[in-house]
Amino acid sequence: MRIALAGAGAFGEKHLDGLKNIDGVTVTSIIGRELEATKKVAEKYGIGHVTTDLNETLARDDVDAVILCTPTQMHAAQAIACMDAGKHVEVEIPLADSWADAQAVLKKQEETGLVCMVGHTRRFNPSHQFVHNRIKAGEFNVQQMDVQTYFFRRKNINAKGEPRSWTDHLLWHHAAHTVDLFAYQAGKIVSAHALQGPIHPDLGIAMDMSIQLKSETGAICTLSLSFNNDGPLGTFFRYIGDTDTYIARYDDLVNGKEEAIDVSQVAVSMNGIELQDREFISAIREGRDPNSSVAKVFDCYRVLGELETQLAG
């Protein structure tokens, strides 16, 4: 399996680290915004072809699939371009930053029949897989999810503290993780409400947001998001269920009393990004629809579109 990676930033390297552990996978091309910086990443990972032009890579015959770790605003158009070129594509979360663009990507996937997967990593983290397995076994049902997504990002920087060429978004990016995960664990979302705080004068985005969700099973979710939080970074999920309480922090899981739960045997890796990429590769090889395919996460973007309309009103 010959893979191209577009976006040589902080998250792109997370994928390259994961891909190294998957048998039979070779990264043959890497695409970045700045050529010299991208060359350094290519040298670090032993990648032969480097370019700043995605179309140049899509024209190559040594590329079977593309992983897009590019700015949010480019995701939909680039995913469509990959499929137009006959390449399978994994696009990092979010699929798009509008409901219309999400619909366009799904339409293209249905036309081509190619694998189009979205990086909804929470479906793959061992912590959330553990909870999902208990739900499927009928041993646990979500009554409420309480989620905090907190960063300290008052300047336009990435996860490595480096300047970003694009602006991140609490709704279309960070809320997408929880909106999809809540539906994955508790059923289709039937009600959604949102409030946002002041718009940042320079970044032009809300720095604080609150979202409430309800699923068809009656479960509820409260999601708090902030770029203003000066403290621990990341997302913390509390599952309150009919039999247990769980707190998930990325790939780790504890119960409501902060007692560690061993999730090391849930999957072949403890790295959610690697597991996500393994699913992408496996789906291509097996000719099947992957978990977090564009079709399976599509309803998340309906909800985000509805919330955007609320906030604009």
Side-chain angles (χ1 to χ4, degrees):
M1 189 67 62
R2 300 165 301 177
I3 303 294
L5 181 106
F11 222 78
E13 291 203 39
K14 290 180 183 289
H15 281 277
L16 292 174
D17 289 335
L19 291 168
K20 289 190 301 183
N21 299 324
I22 305 175
D23 291 341
V25 171
T26 304
V27 180
T28 54
S29 177
I30 186 169
I31 308 100
R33 184 172 59 91
E34 297 179 357
L35 186 60
E36 291 308 311
T38 307
K39 283 182 177 179
K40 291 180 180 178
V41 176
E43 291 171 4
K44 177 180 176 180
Y45 290 93
I47 301 168
H49 178 256
V50 182
T51 182
T52 59
D53 184 1
L54 176 62
N55 290 325
E56 179 182 325
T57 290
L58 294 179
R60 295 176 64 90
D61 59 8
D62 63 349
V63 173
D64 302 308
V66 181
I67 297 176
L68 298 174
C69 301
T70 49
T72 293
Q73 295 83 358
M74 305 169 75
H75 285 181
Q78 289 183 334
I80 290 171
C82 290
M83 289 184 280
D84 278 337
K87 313 296 186 184
H88 303 285
V89 61
E90 177 186 357
V91 53
E92 255 312 324
I93 196 170
L95 170 65
D97 60 358
S98 76
W99 173 227
D101 283 351
Q103 291 174 297
V105 177
L106 178 61
K107 181 180 179 182
K108 179 60 64 175
Q109 189 281 320
E110 292 173 338
E111 289 174 357
T112 63
L114 293 163
V115 171
C116 179
M117 176 173 157
V118 190
H120 285 250
T121 314
R122 300 295 169 262
R123 290 182 176 226
F124 302 95
N125 293 118
S127 53
H128 298 295
Q129 282 201 52
F130 178 93
V131 176
H132 190 70
N133 291 342
R134 292 211 68 204
I135 293 170
K136 288 196 300 180
E139 299 168 350
F140 178 78
N141 293 292
V142 177
Q143 306 297 302
Q144 181 175 182
M145 284 176 63
D146 187 77
V147 185
Q148 298 175 330
T149 295
Y150 291 157
F151 300 92
F152 189 66
R153 192 171 289 168
R154 294 176 185 169
K155 296 181 180 179
N156 206 16
I157 57 175
N158 66 16
K160 295 170 69 175
E162 300 168 340
R164 229 177 197 158
S165 62
W166 55 284
T167 303
D168 205 355
H169 201 283
L170 286 176
L171 178 65
W172 284 99
H173 180 184
H174 297 288
H177 281 292
T178 297
V179 170
D180 178 66
L181 180 66
F182 178 59
Y184 185 57
Q185 305 287 43
K188 181 182 175 70
I189 294 169
V190 296
S191 181
H193 304 280
L195 293 171
Q196 66 183 11
I199 303 299
H200 192 281
D202 298 322
L203 298 178
I205 58 171
M207 301 291 282
D208 293 274
M209 191 173 293
S210 175
I211 295 174
Q212 290 180 306
L213 308 169
K214 186 175 184 177
S215 82
E216 60 187 357
T217 64
I220 61 173
C221 175
T222 302
L223 169 61
S224 171
L225 307 106
S226 180
F227 282 149
N228 276 320
N229 183 66
D230 190 3
L233 307 182
T235 304
F236 312 101
F237 301 82
R238 179 181 291 269
Y239 289 95
I240 301 172
D242 55 351
T243 56
D244 295 283
T245 293
Y246 298 109
I247 302 169
R249 300 181 178 99
Y250 289 98
D251 299 311
D252 299 319
L253 187 69
V254 299
N255 65 18
K257 298 177 182 178
E258 292 284 346
E259 297 167 336
I261 296 172
D262 182 8
V263 295
S264 62
Q265 302 305 309
V266 169
V268 297
S269 169
M270 280 290 291
N271 183 333
I273 302 298
E274 178 187 329
L275 294 172
Q276 175 183 312
D277 290 342
R278 285 181 178 274
E279 173 68 0
F280 179 52
I281 302 301
S282 295
I284 297 171
R285 287 173 172 164
E286 297 166 12
R288 62 173 174 81
D289 199 34
N291 190 358
S292 83
S293 67
V294 60
K296 289 178 179 174
V297 304
F298 188 62
D299 201 56
C300 165
Y301 295 90
R302 170 191 64 83
V303 175
L304 295 178
E306 291 175 359
L307 292 174
E308 181 178 63
T309 299
Q310 285 183 26
L311 294 170

